[in-house]
């Protein structure tokens, strides 16, 4: 009887272990497909679900967040996907989060990725519609790749032609094969080296000159840094200054003089006034001048009479002859 | 109506098994339940089979993992090895291998036991002494087989997965946690429940075939060996046929 009890205990243990394992496995599966525990529903609308089926995983920033519950066709371009997402993730998903359809690995199942947005937005509610981002599917990627391949093919074709041309070009090969070029290049390099050395020397000299200038040697140095010549220049300038001052004074004196003259003229003082302003005086002056004219005409007559006088006639003749001779010699020349 | 040769025998046996099943159901539901004997049979059929089924399950898990590994590597999905192995173990290999081993061990032992009781006329004696041999011998054994095989199958799956875990870790490294995560990320209710439900039918078929073969054993001690042998063969075949039916039914119902 005791043995029977032991056997029963063993049997009980066996059954219980088996059932517990069953329950554990069912629980683990249930946890995965979010059968137990509270969920919220989210929706997203796509143009193309790329083979997504009910039961596919939903991920939020890569975390397993739930599963696809239902896929409905709304119209010919819109497919609504209903997702069950763990309630515990609700505070982290915001209304502006993006949903897109991705792959688990290259060949794996489709998944819906919910991607958080950087912009602030209120937390999501049950039955909210998420905005979607259609991602390039594999076909499109392959199409792009194929055009890239075509481009590559063209490029490699062109490259091949270029290389062939280079290969066939005798000029380039001649250039490459010409051994004298290296010596020329060598010479040129040497020349460049020399030139550089000269430039270096020149720079040294220039350097020395500037140093000398700084220390006041040479003409330029004296010009730039000698104090004595500076003071000389200063005194010269001050002399010029004085001279101009004197000239200024002179001009002001002249000015005074003309003012005085003007004054005299206006108020009837001096000879200038007599000449320019006084009409009586002017008449006198006119008379005197006509008298002088008359006097000189008389004198001219007298002189003419004198020429014809026998005493002085000879002298005038002689004068005329001299003049004639002079004019003739100038003409012959 | 005369059907020639083996056809007649086959149909005759099918009908007899069906009738035997019918009387089993009748005896099971009608009162006077042999609970103590049932529990004893559970212990003998279930508990005593665990080491054998556990060992085969462990080896199956380990071997399957090591066999699949090169192919998975060549497809570049070595990381999916636990998922792949667990799926094949839970859906098919666990239940079927357990059922076959169970048929070999329990089917033959039931057939031999009842056959020897039949040929030594103990069953007749029981009938005379007022104990219903159908209730005491057949119902307890068939029920025990029906209820114990699912549990054995669950335990076998678990041990197989442990073997698979060791198999993965022979060549690469994977933590227990990750292994369990991988396994249960791919498993679904539609993987586990149909496979457990079908093990009830496997257990029932093994029990009923073993009991039938033993109960109607003929031709003395020679017949005992024959009934034990044919019990194993027939129950193994029925296990496979039921497996085929099970997968078709789950497929029809959309749970595959």
């Amino acid at each position: 009887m005791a043995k029977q009890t032991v056997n029963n205990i063993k049997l009980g243990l066996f059954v219980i272990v088996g059932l517990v394992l069953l329950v554990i496995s069912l629980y683990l599966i249930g946890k995965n497909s979010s059968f137990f525990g509270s969920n919220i529903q989210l929706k997203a609308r796509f143009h193309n679900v790329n083979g997504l089926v009910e039961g596919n995983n939903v991920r939020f920033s890569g975390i397993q967040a739930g599963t696809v519950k239902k896929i409905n066709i709304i119209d010919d371009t819109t497919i609504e996907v209903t997702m069950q997402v763990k309630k515990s993730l609700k505070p982290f998903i915001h209304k502006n989060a993006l949903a897109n359809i991705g792959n688990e690995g290259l060949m794996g199942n489709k998944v819906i990725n919910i991607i958080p947005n950087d912009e602030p937005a209120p937390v999501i509610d049950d039955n909210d519609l998420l905005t979607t981002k259609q991602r390039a599917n594999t076909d499109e990627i392959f199409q792009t790749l194929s055009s890239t391949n075509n481009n590559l093919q063209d490029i490699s074709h062109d490259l091949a032609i270029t290389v062939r041309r280079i290969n066939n070009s005798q000029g380039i090969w001649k250039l490459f094969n010409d051994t004298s070029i290296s010596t020329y290049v060598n010479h040129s390099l040497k020349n460049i080296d020399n030139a550089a050395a000269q430039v270096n020397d020149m720079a040294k000299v220039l350097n020395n000159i500037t140093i000398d200038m700084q220390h006041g040697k040479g003409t330029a140095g004296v010009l730039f840094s000698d104090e004595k010549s500076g003071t000389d220049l200063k005194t010269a300038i001050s002399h010029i200054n004085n001279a101009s001052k004197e000239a200024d004074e002179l001009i002001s004196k002249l000015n005074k003089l003309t003012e005085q003259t003007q004054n005299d003229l206006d108020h009837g003082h001096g000879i200038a006034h007599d000449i320019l302003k006084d009409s009586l005086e002017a008449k006198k002056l006119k008379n005197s001048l006509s008298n002088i004219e008359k006097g000189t005409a008389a004198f001219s007559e007298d002189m003419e009479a004198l020429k014809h006088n026998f005493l002085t006639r000879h002298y005038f003749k002689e004068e005329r002859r001299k003049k004639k001779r002079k004019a003739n010699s100038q003409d012959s020349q | 109506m005369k059907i020639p040769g083996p056809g007649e025998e086959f149909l005759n046996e099918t009908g007899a098994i069906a009738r035997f099943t019918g009387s089993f159901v009748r005896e099971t539901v009608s009162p006077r339940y042999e609970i103590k004997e049932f529990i004893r049979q559970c212990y003998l059929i279930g508990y005593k089979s665990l080491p054998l089924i556990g060992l085969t399950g462990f080896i199956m898990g380990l071997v399957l993992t090591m066999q699949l590994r090169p192919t998975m590597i060549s497809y570049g999905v070595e990381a999916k090895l636990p998922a792949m192995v667990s799926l094949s173990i839970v859906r098919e290999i666990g239940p079927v291998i357990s059922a076959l081993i169970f048929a070999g061990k329990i089917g033959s032992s039931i057939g031999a036991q009842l056959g020897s009781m039949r040929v030594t006329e103990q069953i007749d004696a029981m009938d005379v002494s007022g104990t219903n041999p159908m209730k005491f011998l057949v119902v307890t054994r068939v029920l025990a087989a029906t209820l114990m095989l699912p549990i054995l199958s669950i335990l076998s799956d678990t041990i197989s997965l442990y073997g698979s875990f060791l198999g993965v870790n022979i060549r690469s490294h994977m933590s227990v946690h990750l292994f369990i995560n991988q396994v249960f990320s791919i498993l679904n209710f539609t993987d586990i429940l149909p496979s457990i439900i079908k093990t009830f039918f496997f257990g029932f078929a093994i029990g009923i075939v073993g009991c039938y073969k033993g109960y109607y054993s003929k031709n003395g001690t020679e017949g005992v060996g024959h009934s034990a042998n044919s019990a194993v063969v027939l129950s193994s075949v029925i296990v496979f046929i039921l497996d085929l039916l099970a997968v078709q039914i789950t497929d029809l119902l959309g749970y595959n």
Side-chain angles (χ1 to χ4, degrees):
Chain A
M1 200 64 205
K3 200 190 167 201
Q4 184 90 32
T5 320
V6 171
N7 287 353
N8 284 352
I9 290 167
K10 283 177 182 171
L11 178 62
L13 198 70
F14 166 75
V15 172
I16 285 168
V17 168
L19 292 179
V20 163
L21 283 174
L22 179 64
V23 168
I24 286 174
S25 60
L26 291 183
Y27 170 73
L28 285 175
I29 292 169
K31 205 176 76 173
N32 259 354
S33 44
S34 21
F35 226 73
F36 310 113
S38 47
N39 292 312
I40 57 166
Q41 279 195 0
L42 298 178
K43 285 174 181 166
R45 288 180 178 180
F46 296 94
H47 292 303
N48 182 352
V49 292
N50 298 329
L52 189 82
V53 289
E54 286 166 17
N56 272 144
N57 288 328
V58 176
R59 289 190 177 151
F60 173 66
S61 305
I63 302 168
Q64 178 65 35
T67 51
V68 174
K69 200 188 172 200
K70 211 187 267 177
I71 298 174
N72 285 331
I73 299 181
I74 303 282
D75 57 46
D76 57 347
T77 54
T78 315
I79 296 163
E80 189 178 78
V81 177
T82 310
M83 298 169 268
Q84 269 195 325
V85 175
K86 285 180 199 163
K87 206 169 190 175
S88 59
L89 287 172
K90 194 185 155 192
F92 305 107
I93 304 177
H94 294 266
K95 277 184 191 282
N96 61 354
L98 288 173
N100 71 16
I101 296 175
N103 261 17
E104 272 179 16
L106 192 61
M107 311 288 287
N109 296 323
K110 296 286 172 195
V111 285
I112 290 190
N113 292 309
I114 300 176
I115 305 159
N117 203 325
D118 292 336
E119 305 291 317
V123 170
I124 205 144
D125 287 322
D126 204 0
N127 279 320
D128 264 355
L129 193 69
L130 290 176
T131 43
T132 55
K133 203 176 90 183
Q134 201 80 25
R135 242 182 28 177
N137 62 18
T138 335
D139 284 350
E140 284 166 16
I141 291 169
F142 279 123
Q143 270 176 16
T144 320
L145 261 184
S146 114
S147 70
T148 312
N149 274 340
N150 286 340
N151 290 344
L152 265 181
Q153 200 183 359
D154 291 348
I155 290 167
S156 68
H157 180 71
D158 291 352
L159 259 182
I161 290 171
T162 313
V163 169
R164 206 170 297 140
R165 274 190 186 161
I166 290 172
N167 224 3
N168 293 337
S169 149
Q170 289 181 337
I172 289 173
W173 286 114
K174 205 174 164 189
L175 208 67
F176 281 151
N177 289 331
D178 195 348
T179 46
S180 58
I181 284 177
S182 71
T183 53
Y184 287 140
V185 169
N186 222 355
H187 279 305
S188 316
L189 284 176
K190 261 181 197 161
N191 288 343
I192 289 169
D193 195 34
N194 286 340
Q198 280 169 7
V199 167
N200 205 12
D201 289 347
M202 231 160 84
K204 264 182 199 160
V205 170
L206 268 176
N207 199 19
N208 287 340
I209 288 171
T210 34
I211 288 167
D212 284 354
M213 267 165 71
Q214 269 173 356
H215 293 107
K217 289 177 195 167
T219 325
V222 168
L223 209 66
F224 279 113
S225 53
D226 192 11
E227 280 180 30
K228 193 174 161 279
S229 61
T231 48
D232 285 355
L233 208 65
K234 236 182 222 170
T235 48
I237 287 168
S238 73
H239 285 165
I240 289 169
N241 212 5
N242 288 339
S244 73
K245 260 181 198 164
E246 277 163 17
D248 214 24
E249 253 171 55
L250 191 71
I251 284 167
S252 70
K253 276 175 185 168
L254 266 175
N255 223 0
K256 255 182 203 165
L257 188 70
T258 44
E259 257 173 32
Q260 255 175 11
T261 318
Q262 183 71 24
N263 223 16
D264 287 351
L265 270 176
D266 290 346
H267 296 95
H269 300 299
I271 304 164
H273 175 261
D274 289 348
I275 297 169
L276 294 174
K277 299 273 175 146
D278 197 341
S279 56
L280 201 70
E281 282 303 318
K283 214 176 186 175
K284 277 181 188 169
L285 209 63
K286 235 182 209 170
N287 285 340
S288 352
L289 281 174
S290 68
N291 287 345
I292 290 168
E293 210 177 349
K294 278 172 190 166
T296 48
F299 181 68
S300 185
E301 264 174 44
D302 290 347
M303 282 306 286
E304 203 58 38
L306 206 59
K307 275 178 192 171
H308 295 283
N309 190 294
F310 73 101
L311 286 173
T312 50
R313 208 170 29 199
H314 184 72
Y315 168 75
F316 284 108
K317 266 183 186 166
E318 198 69 17
E319 274 303 293
R320 242 176 273 148
R321 245 179 248 139
K322 265 184 191 171
K323 262 183 190 170
K324 226 177 210 171
R325 241 179 266 141
K326 211 177 183 179
N328 283 344
S329 70
Q330 268 175 353
D331 285 345
S332 66
Q333 270 178 0
Chain B
M1 198 172 80
K2 185 85 178 142
I3 295 159
E8 187 194 3
E9 199 187 321
F10 173 74
L11 288 178
N12 191 14
E13 190 153 312
T14 310
I17 290 174
R19 185 168 297 173
F20 186 72
T21 309
S23 63
F24 160 78
V25 173
R26 249 193 326 278
E27 296 295 337
T28 309
V29 293
S30 62
R32 181 146 172 84
Y33 307 110
E34 300 283 351
I35 291 171
K36 204 173 247 180
E37 176 63 11
F38 166 69
I39 288 170
R40 199 178 76 86
Q41 286 301 330
C42 282
Y43 172 75
L44 289 174
I45 289 173
Y47 185 81
K48 289 278 186 183
S49 304
L50 181 61
L52 187 64
I53 288 179
L55 179 69
T56 51
F58 176 77
I59 292 170
M60 278 314 294
L62 184 63
V63 168
L64 198 63
T65 308
M66 292 172 77
Q67 296 270 35
L68 277 173
R69 181 188 202 86
T71 317
M72 301 294 269
I73 286 174
S74 75
Y75 280 108
V77 282
E78 195 191 352
K80 291 278 174 191
L81 198 53
M84 179 86 190
V85 171
S86 67
L87 208 59
S88 46
I89 284 174
V90 168
R91 287 185 78 119
E92 183 62 23
I93 290 170
V96 171
I97 294 290
S98 307
L100 288 179
I101 301 293
F102 193 74
K105 187 175 186 297
I106 302 303
S108 67
S109 86
I110 290 175
Q113 259 181 353
L114 294 194
S116 61
M117 285 173 95
R118 168 61 75 191
V119 297
T120 54
E121 297 178 343
Q122 285 180 56
I123 291 174
D124 298 328
M126 230 182 237
D127 217 355
V128 171
S129 68
T131 312
N132 186 346
M134 256 327 251
K135 270 195 191 301
F136 191 78
L137 299 176
V138 175
V139 170
T140 52
R141 279 174 173 77
V142 174
L143 274 185
T146 309
L147 296 180
M148 286 303 107
L149 184 57
I151 293 172
L152 279 171
S153 170
I154 292 165
L155 290 169
S156 163
D157 285 354
T158 312
I159 294 165
S160 288
L161 289 178
Y162 178 66
S164 171
F165 171 68
L166 289 185
V168 169
N169 273 288
I170 286 173
R171 286 291 175 84
S172 61
H173 180 74
M174 185 178 270
S175 70
V176 189
H177 202 113
L178 179 59
F179 185 86
I180 290 172
N181 263 343
Q182 286 250 8
V183 167
F184 286 102
S185 71
I186 195 131
L187 285 183
N188 215 330
F189 289 118
T190 53
D191 297 318
I192 286 197
L193 290 178
S195 81
I196 285 171
I197 290 166
K198 74 184 176 190
T199 53
F200 282 98
F201 290 94
F202 291 168
F204 178 76
I206 291 163
I208 208 96
V209 168
C211 285
Y212 168 80
K213 287 290 179 184
Y215 204 76
Y216 296 110
S217 185
K218 279 171 266 179
N219 304 332
T221 45
E222 197 192 334
V224 175
H226 182 255
S227 55
N229 181 27
S230 59
V232 173
V233 173
L234 188 57
S235 55
S236 303
V237 171
I238 288 176
V239 162
F240 278 109
I241 291 168
L242 285 176
D243 197 35
L244 177 67
L245 285 175
V247 74
Q248 284 182 330
I249 289 167
T250 49
D251 205 31
L252 274 178
L253 295 176
Y255 292 124
N256 201 7

